[in-house]
Every structure is written in C-alpha cells, then in structure tokens.
Amino acid sequence: MLNFTLEKRPSDSKTMSYLSPIFAIVLTLVSGGLLFTLLGKDPFHALYTFFILPLTDIYGWTELAVKVAPLTLCAMGLMLCFKAKIWNIGAEGQFILGGLGGGYIALELMNAEGFWVLPLVLLFGALSGLLWAALTALLKTRFGANEILTTIMLNYIALNWLLYSVHGPLKDPDGFNFPESALFSEFATLPVLSDDYRLNISIFFALFAVAAIWALMSKTLLGFQISVLGEDKAAARFAGFKAERLTWFALLTCGALAGLAGVSEVTGSIGQLNPYISPGYGYAAIIVVFLGRMHPVGILFASMLLALTYLGGEMAQMDLALPKSLTGLFQGMLLFYLLACDLLISYRIVRKPSARLTSSSSSNSAQA
Amino acid sequence: MNQIELYNITKRYPGCIANQAVELKVGTGEIHALLGENGAGKSTLMKIIYGVVKPDEGVVRWEDEIISVKGPSHARDLGIGMVFQHFSLFETLTVAENIALSLPKAESASMDILKQRIIEVSEHYGMKLDPNRHVHSLSIGEQQRVEIVRCLLQDVKLLILDEPTSVLTPQEVETLFKTLRILSTEGCSILFISHKLDEVRALCDQATILKAGKVSGHCIPKDTTTEELARLMVGDDTPLTEDYKKAEGDHTFLTISDLSYESDDPFACTLKNISLEVKAGEILGIAGVAGNGQEELLNLISGEDTSNKKTVLFDGKAVGHLTPEKRRILGLGFVPEERLGRGAVPNMSLQENGLLTGYQGELTANGLIKTNKVKDFAHRIIDRFNVKSSGIDAQAKSLSGGNLQKYIIGREILQNPKLLVCSHPTWGVDIGAAILIRHELIKLRDEGCSVLVVSEDIDELYSISDRICAICDGEISPIAPTHDVSINQLGMWMAGDFTFIQDSKEAE
C-alpha cells in the first residue's frame, strides 16, 4: 500500500525554489505535447515549431528581444510591488496608459522637429503610467481599498479609454476610418539597432531597469525596507519604516516602468496607436516575476521564455494552422504548474505508514 | 484504578522529537502536575490525550481500556475536558451562549435551564459567573472560569489545565485552587500543567517532570523542595537563581505624564491618566495580567502609536508625536513581546534582522547598506550574547525562542540605548537564556541606562526591578521601591485595588 502525504519541511528548501521553475517548464512541455497529440499533430514537431523554430535565425532572436523589452520593464516594476506584497495586477493598464499618454504627445508634436521630441514623448508616457498607478496608491493608502480589485478595474478602464481614443479623437483623419492613429513622425520614433530588424533601443531601457532594480533591492536601505514591509508588516512598523510612503514608491515606480514599456512599444515596433498595442504584456509579466523567482536576473530569463510563447504562438498559427491563443494556454499552464511546484518549497512528499498503523495495531491488541 | 495511563508515547516532528517514550499515570481524583520548561513537550503530550495530535507510537489506557482518541469531540465524550492557555471564546457572545455552542444539542436546547445550571455549577465550585454577561466584559480570570464551567457541565472525569495560572493575579490563583480541590474530592482527576514550582507544591498530589521530551522524574511535590523540582526540570548544569543588588537611579530619563489613550479597536484597553518616570540607572517593573493596557502603553512609548506631544518625554524632550525611528535616534531601544513577526522578520537572516533596527547608525550611509558593517554587527551580537545559530545567514525563524530573544535584546543593547523597554523579556525562554538576559539588563542599568520592563512573571520582576508597580484596566498603581511592596500588595494592585499599605511587610 503506497500512502503519500505532504509534510512541512523544517525550513524552506533553497534548492527546490530554483528547481520548481524547471519542473514547471518540463511539465508544461509534456502537457503541451499531449495537447498537440490530441489535436492530431506530431507532438515533437509541434513543440519544435513552437519553441525552437522561432529562434533558428537572427531575425527570430531580434523579435524575441522586441518582446523581452516590454515584458522585462513591466516585470521589474511588478517585482518591486510583489516584494512589498502589494498585489499590483495593473501593469497592463499602466502599460496601455503609457502608450496612450506618450502617443497623444507624439501626435500633438507631429510637426515638431528636433531630438527633444522623443525624450519628451517617453517621459510623458512614463508619467502617464505613473499617474495611473497613483490612483491605486491613493485608493490603497487613503481608503484601504484592495489593490487587486482596483488595478484590475483600472485595467479595463485603461483599455476602454484607448479604444475610445483610437475610435474617436485620436483616429487618423486620413486613415480610411480604421481605428488607428496616424503614424508618428520620425522624431517621435525609437531608433532601431539595425535597419534590417525591428529591434530598437527599448531593450536597453529594460536592461537598465534590471540593473537599477537589482541595485535598489540588494544595496539600498529603501530596498531593504520594501522587503521588510512585504515580509512582515508588524516588524516594519516596529522598526519605524513608513508603510504608506513605501507603498507609494513601489506602485509609482511600477507605473512609470510599465508606462515606459507602453510608450516604447507604440513609438518603437508599432509606430502608432491602435487597439492592440498590448498582447497582454502586463499580465504575462506577472508570470515572469514568479517564474524568475523575484530576482532581476531570473526575471530576465523568464521574460525570454514568455516572449518565446508569443513567437511560438505566431509560428504555430503559420506552420501548424493552430490558433494563436496557444500562447495564452502555454502561459496559463506555466503559471499553474509553477504554483503547484512551489508547494514543494515548504513541503515535501513522504511515505506515511506510521501513525495510522500504530493506532490500528493498538486497537487490535485491545480486542485481543 | 488509574483514570488514565500513557505508555511509551512518542511523537516526532520534523527536526525534533517532542515526546520520547513518555509514561504518565493519573489516579482517580488525583491532582497531577506535569512540570517542565517551555519546549519540554508538555503541550504536545496534552494534545495527544485530548486527541488533537496523534502519537507516532504508544498506548493510551483510559479506565483500564486501551483506546485511541480520535479527536477532541471523542475526548469530550470520554469525559476529558481541557482548558487551553489561549481561550476559545467568542467575545461578542454571552457566557451562556458560548457554553451552549460547545454542548450537545439536547443539552443546550433550553437557554433558561442552561443558565440555571451554569449558576448552580459555578456557585458549587466557588467561582461565581453571570451567564448573561458578554465575554468581552469579563476579566481574564472570569473568562477562564467560563472555560472551566464549560468542561464541568459535561460530566468531566479528567480535567486538563494548560498553564492556567499564567494569566491570573495571586488572589485569583487561590480561588482557582479551591475549585480544583473541590473537584478532586469529588473524584475528578486533574492534570495541571505548569512551570511554577510553588504552585505545584501547594496544589498537587503527584508530579511528573518532563525534560527535552523525556520523563526526567516523578515525585510527590509536597515532600520535595522547590530546588529539587527545579533540578529535575532544568538539569544539573544551570544556575537557578541570582540575587541582584537594587539600585537608585539619578536623573529622570523617561517621563510619562497624564497619558490617556483610546484606541479605535473596541477590544483594546483604554489608558487613563498614566504618569510614571524611569530614571537613568534604574529598572522599573510593571506587573499586570495581559490585556490590561500594557500593549497600548508600550506602543505609545515606542512610537508605533502616537499621542499628545508632551505626554511622553525623553530626557525632558517632548516626543509623544514622534515616529519610532526619531525616538530611536534619541536613545530608545525596544524589545517587543512578539519576537517573530515584530521583533524579527521570520524569513530574513540574522544579519538582515540586525539591520532592522540598527539601520540608523553606521550600518548605512546615504541610503546605501554597508554590507560588511552589517555582517560585523550580526557577528558581534552572536558572540557577545552567546546566540546559538548556524551563522549570520540563519533565518530568524530557525532559532529557538531563547536564542532569538538573546539576539533581539543584544541588537538593542549594542546600539547603546539610553532607554530600553522590554516586554516579557524572558517569556518562553529557557532558564539559561533567561538568566543571561536578566544579567544583561542589570549590567545595562549599572551603565546608566533607564530600563522599563513589562512582565507577567512576578518572580522575575521582584528579582530585577528597583521600583515596581502594576497596571490594571489601563491605570497605573502607585510606584514604590520593590522591597516595600509585598506580593499581596502587588496582587491587589494587579486586581485594580490601588490602595497602598505602607507597612506592607507586616501585612504579609
């Protein structure tokens, strides 16, 4: 008789916390293979198409970097919030607002020329994201409103505001009534690294954010205070750390980074405003943070994997004639398996014979 | 016939053996003490008897039959009643409603009959209880009575009390003992868990002593000296008591004047016109039963709550409105009651926990953490205060209570405070650590620091305080030199009778 049970570990397993993402990835691949088989495809070929084929040429790698940049920017901001146990689900909305705010300025400065245009557009985009996050911070610190609810609601408002804008006031007058803005001027467009590819300098913004947030969290008192606030509110209060200020700081920083991601996306690879400026980067970034173990370097790698699921989805659509929503499916499976495997950080599986057997044997002897 | 017998009980938890081959026999109508330090395995053993925890090995015989207790309700059916250290009462319900909740439906059907029974039972055992009062309006002692009466209504044959006196004033303890003696003459067995030796000697017929999960001895407490009992509890190598010279401080450092405070929390205690002074070079001890305003008072001293500017003074400077970190700059050190989850962050390492309150000194510069200084600080605390751990990277939660408390107190002391406030400094700490902590507090006092100690442990307060007082229902009793205050006097203060018998020595 095999009888397994979960037993709490005396202390959390460091090894397991690193192994868990790997287990999750393996399980996701196995489940994905199973799924492809059920859909009547050769699982190995399908997985190859989804995960390897997109990276077989330089173009594929640059496209990966195009998607890594916004994911990493959003994820670094979210990491700051999650470290403080502020469950900001609103990177998506902050991303959209960043794109919308920056895009608006870019359209206003359509005829302006000069190198000051782009920085202004980027700044305004970041500020828009920051202000969107400020709403959540205000509601949380002032009224104790749950940030999970407010950020999700603000995501929908942001999306609808974008839709209204591109269907209405910001619609390109010469655009044949398509819900799109005009293309931005070259002065409001992020420079690309090479004319052959779409990859632009936003990848440097992302790498800079990784370095900055890593330094903040590991080297500064402010980062330490954020960690303490997340780990133990009572201790933070006892030590005299100001919870409200830290909450504001984490949310505003996240808003600014997500906003920067948004404005970089519209001034970079998209070049205009349209209803689809985010394929759910703000949500995928949540998975990135947890998969990357809340560590900046881990997050960078996790961003690459999540970026790959976008490329893989497109590839599967083209080569296998499967729907692009596979991307969401793989992202969902990844998070699901990760959360399941994370259980093993604090618990271990043991075979449990003892307690039940002793008590039943003692009652047997009572009868005897 | 014995009421209950345990043989060879073993219970393992990951990383520790809570009980190892424990034997225990309690006769019918016997008051049996289970003695042991914190962490000796007393509570685990009780939980096994009450069916909360299942033993890995061993046999339980109840009235000469081998049984396996399936759970608390099974235990109650057998006639085992248990009063936990932390009560399980609904504060917003009345006494009768609380009791009705734990009774079988048939018995709680008529509230009138139940109320009548509560009155009868409680009067019979000498612990008056009004069934119509709401629990939140009862004192801790009265709440304990509700728990006991709840057991007595169910035809109890074995009553287990887990550290019942830790929350009572000396007078309330006497009342409880009378009740227990009546119960015992009526044939009810009582298992009395405690680490207070005098109480065990006054009350119990038999004693079983646990040490590190094993039985270290049996004895008849009345025929055994307190020293012999203590030796069985702690082993041979730890010194038991120390006498400290009393001191008189010089200038006043902490002044609290006319401090009143009402919290938003309806169940918190309201502070009424509290005034007290702590001089540099003295220890002021505040006795009192938990929940009488200690927490609120300490939060106002630490700055976690704020009050009117001039109600709290540090060395003459008004600080009542200041935040904790500003008060720390002025010389405050603070050791809170909750070690994990306030005094230390459970999941963080010892070095990070050193930074938790040490961040204002040389451990940081311009907002940057100086990692080497932080490590050095943690090493210094560990060396000087003899903290047993796997190193400065050990998580705070991996330390035993005593070692973590040494680390926290060390962290505060090494920052050279001018005022050290300690809440329950040795609660749940092994004797060795407790002695070291008291010794360090005395040393700090002799160096001219003001020390304020809040504790429920009266013996400890008598041992280290230079002046002593009590807090009851948000008010402070008169404050007097410790040797002028008898135990009886302090007990009266703890119960809220603030008359001061000047010749208390003779009254004793």
Side-chain angles (χ1 to χ4, degrees), chain B residues 168-180:
Chain B
L168 302 181
T169 65
Q171 284 84 352
E172 284 176 321
V173 170
E174 266 314 307
T175 318
L176 173 68
F177 282 8
K178 276 184 200 139
T179 305
L180 297 182

Side-chain angles (χ1 to χ4, degrees), chain A residues 142-155:
Chain A
R142 193 68 194 273
F143 304 105
N146 183 312
E147 70 276 13
I148 300 179
L149 300 179
T150 55
T151 48
I152 292 178
M153 290 192 278
L154 284 169
N155 284 350

Side-chain angles (χ1 to χ4, degrees), chain A residues 219 221 232 237 239 242 358, chain B residues 56 304-305 325 341 359 367 369:
Chain A
K219 300 285 174 201
L221 184 59
D232 190 341
R237 192 173 143 85
K242 296 184 180 67
T358 358
Chain B
D56 293 335
E304 284 160 87
D305 286 319
E325 81 274 18
Y359 63 93
I369 299 167

Side-chain angles (χ1 to χ4, degrees), chain A residues 218-296:
Chain A
S218 63
K219 300 285 174 201
T220 71
L221 184 59
L222 184 62
F224 176 71
Q225 293 183 336
I226 288 173
S227 300
V228 172
L229 181 69
E231 283 286 340
D232 190 341
K233 278 201 167 49
R237 192 173 143 85
F238 161 71
F241 303 158
K242 296 184 180 67
E244 284 201 2
R245 274 194 214 176
L246 295 172
T247 304
W248 274 97
F249 175 79
L251 277 168
L252 293 189
T253 309
C254 179
L257 287 172
L260 181 63
V263 69
S264 303
E265 193 69 5
V266 297
T267 58
S269 44
I270 300 177
Q272 65 179 152
L273 286 177
N274 66 34
Y276 324 105
I277 61 173
S278 171
Y281 286 141
Y283 294 120
I286 299 170
I287 306 174
V288 168
V289 177
F290 286 106
L291 195 65
R293 307 282 82 175
M294 295 232 200
H295 188 282

Side-chain angles (χ1 to χ4, degrees), chain B residues 209-226:
Chain B
I209 296 117
L210 283 183
K211 180 170 176 278
K214 292 184 215 163
V215 175
S216 67
H218 296 279
C219 65
I220 298 171
K222 290 189 177 71
D223 303 340
T224 316
T225 64
T226 310

Side-chain angles (χ1 to χ4, degrees), chain B residues 108-179:
Chain B
S108 57
S110 159
M111 274 309 236
D112 288 336
I113 298 176
L114 180 64
K115 284 177 187 170
Q116 198 50 42
R117 279 188 68 203
I118 292 170
I119 294 171
E120 281 166 20
V121 169
S122 62
E123 282 183 356
H124 174 70
Y125 292 103
M127 18 178 222
K128 266 189 74 192
L129 206 54
D130 176 357
N132 292 318
R133 278 181 66 185
H134 282 90
V135 165
H136 66 79
S137 71
L138 301 179
S139 73
I140 301 286
E142 288 169 320
Q143 293 187 17
Q144 188 178 53
R145 290 178 188 178
V146 180
E147 291 271 3
I148 295 175
V149 167
R150 170 148 88 178
C151 296
L152 296 183
L153 282 176
Q154 290 173 297
D155 191 22
V156 67
K157 291 173 187 159
L158 171 69
L159 182 62
I160 306 171
L161 299 150
D162 190 359
E163 306 250 358
T165 60
S166 61
V167 293
L168 302 181
T169 65
Q171 284 84 352
E172 284 176 321
V173 170
E174 266 314 307
T175 318
L176 173 68
F177 282 8
K178 276 184 200 139
T179 305

